[in-house]
Amino acid sequence: MESRRGPLKSAVPSNVVSPVRRCSRTACGRPAVATLTYVYADSTAVLGPLATYAEPHCYDLCAEHSERLTAPRGWEVVRLLDSSAPARPSGDDLEALANAVREAARPQRRAADAGGGPRTADPMEVARRGHLRVLRSPDN
């Protein structure tokens, strides 16, 4: 059966709808930076980084509302995100990155030069390709 109204049209013009997710709080139009979920069985509110997808039982919050979040009496708030300071690499992260770059830049010996087998410094190492290593499972 053919519709008499013609093709469907959006009730809201497309230039008004923003692809940015907004804070779930009433009358707040700021961009969301965190997602709030509740674990009712544990009386816990979990505030974490902005979820990849908008879920029906989660609440997206802006920076201001995520900082001011309080939970009902007797509930615990678990914050998985420090929204007050941007995440910065730690000394361990920078050292691991520098070691990976040094390892990748190190000249690789050919298997024939190393005695016919793969060069292994670690007994868990099975194979190597460039700076990547294949490790044996600890169960084997």
Side-chain angles (χ1 to χ4, degrees):
M1 182 172 197
E2 220 175 296
S3 173
R4 288 186 242 170
R5 293 187 222 163
L8 293 175
K9 293 185 179 181
S10 174
V12 178
S14 62
N15 61 354
V16 174
V17 178
S18 171
V20 177
R21 287 176 30 201
R22 301 288 176 189
C23 183
S24 297
R25 296 291 303 257
T26 305
C28 180
R30 291 184 287 266
V33 297
T35 298
L36 172 67
T37 58
Y38 292 104
V39 182
Y40 292 98
D42 297 331
S43 299
T44 304
V46 180
L47 182 67
L50 188 62
T52 307
Y53 300 103
E55 297 288 334
H57 300 289
C58 296
Y59 303 93
D60 294 337
L61 299 177
C62 65
E64 182 181 338
H65 287 121
S66 63
E67 289 171 8
R68 294 185 348 197
L69 175 74
T70 59
R73 184 175 297 163
W75 282 55
E76 181 182 0
V77 176
V78 176
R79 294 179 186 268
L80 302 176
L81 170 73
D82 181 11
S83 60
S84 63
R88 296 181 185 216
S90 70
D92 292 338
D93 294 337
L94 295 174
E95 185 177 347
L97 179 61
N99 289 338
V101 169
R102 282 189 207 107
E103 180 69 25
R106 194 175 294 156
Q108 299 295 317
R109 293 186 295 174
R110 303 250 182 239
D113 294 342
R119 181 183 71 147
T120 59
D122 183 0
M124 296 297 289
E125 186 175 319
V126 176
R128 178 180 281 268
R129 183 172 185 148
H131 68 282
L132 301 175
R133 300 183 296 162
V134 178
L135 300 178
R136 180 177 294 118
S137 171
D139 299 335
N140 293 341

